[in-house]
Structures are given as structure tokens and as C-alpha cells.
Amino acid sequence: MSDKPSVLFVCVHNAGRSQMAAAWLTHLAGDRVEVRSAGSAPADQVNPAAVEAMREVGIDISAETPKILTTYAVEESDVCVTMGCGDTCPVFPGKRYLDWALDDPAGQGVAAVRPIRDEIRKRIEDLIAEVVPGPTA
């Protein structure tokens, strides 16, 4: 069992929002946090527009693959951040749940994904300040 906080990001396809959020948290918090992402109905690949939007800010998510949401992932996480997946995330007592209302980048071009990417970064910075011990960057 690790002493560092663990965060799980969940969206339907695990191809856009949750992948970008996981990448931002890993990029900004480094090894001070354990990061997971998953989807209730994972896509075949990460959204190419999300890959390009993250590449523009120096973060490469091209090798990531969408993963299925498991009970284990929720059990092992201190914070579960949902993004448009409704009630598909299992709820366990003692876990912190956040629901981030964000536009879905599915089917959008990179121009539409940039504001979503930037909003996720702001929310990640706030989350780091709340859950990660030590300096934020």
C-alpha cells in the first residue's frame, strides 16, 4: 500500500477527457501521485484530437490505450473523478468522488478540444493543491 494519493479518472470511452486528465496529473505532479484512468465503455483508441491537443503542450499520450473500468481500480483509488459517465462508476464508502462537467471531445477537431484540455489543466492544478503533499510544480 502506497503512502501517496491515488486518483482515478473515468469517462465513457477513456479516449479523451480521462486520458488528458491522467496525463496532466502525471505531468504536473510527477511521482507524488498514483494515476489511473478508465472508461465504462472503452473506445478502440485514444481520440486523435486529444492526442494532438496534448502534443501541442508537450505531453505525448499517443501510446496510451483506453482501459475498462474495474471495481479494483475504484477500490484502490483515494479520489475518483468522473466525467460524463453517469452512474456507471461503482461507489465505495470512504472514497472521495468528484464529477467534472466537461464537454465531450468525441468527434471534435483539435480546435474544439483545446479549451477542454485547458479546463482540465486548471482543475488538475486545483486537485493537486488539495490532495498532493508538497509543492505543486
Side-chain angles (χ1 to χ4, degrees):
M1 196 81 173
S2 174
D3 287 339
K4 61 183 164 183
S6 177
V7 178
L8 169 66
F9 296 100
V10 182
C11 66
V12 176
H13 301 298
N14 189 222
R17 294 167 289 190
S18 57
Q19 291 284 352
M20 290 189 289
W24 273 125
L25 184 54
T26 300
H27 179 76
L28 296 171
D31 63 0
R32 295 178 293 149
V33 64
E34 187 176 348
V35 181
R36 297 179 178 89
S37 71
S40 54
D44 294 332
Q45 66 180 18
V46 175
N47 179 335
V51 171
E52 179 58 29
M54 294 303 285
R55 183 177 289 127
E56 290 176 354
V57 294
I59 301 172
D60 183 6
I61 62 170
S62 62
E64 297 299 325
T65 57
K67 295 166 279 307
I68 187 74
L69 175 63
T70 64
T71 300
Y72 175 80
V74 179
E75 285 178 325
E76 292 299 308
S77 300
D78 299 310
V79 179
C80 181
V81 180
T82 59
M83 305 173 194
C85 56
D87 297 329
T88 60
C89 188
V91 176
F92 292 96
K95 302 291 176 192
R96 180 174 175 203
Y97 292 87
L98 302 172
D99 185 41
W100 290 355
L102 296 162
D103 291 337
D104 188 348
Q108 303 289 329
V110 71
V113 174
R114 286 182 190 117
I116 301 167
R117 171 201 67 201
D118 297 343
E119 177 62 24
I120 290 172
R121 179 184 178 139
K122 289 178 201 162
R123 292 180 189 216
I124 292 297
E125 289 170 343
D126 292 343
L127 183 64
I128 290 170
E130 291 176 32
V131 302
V132 179
T136 57

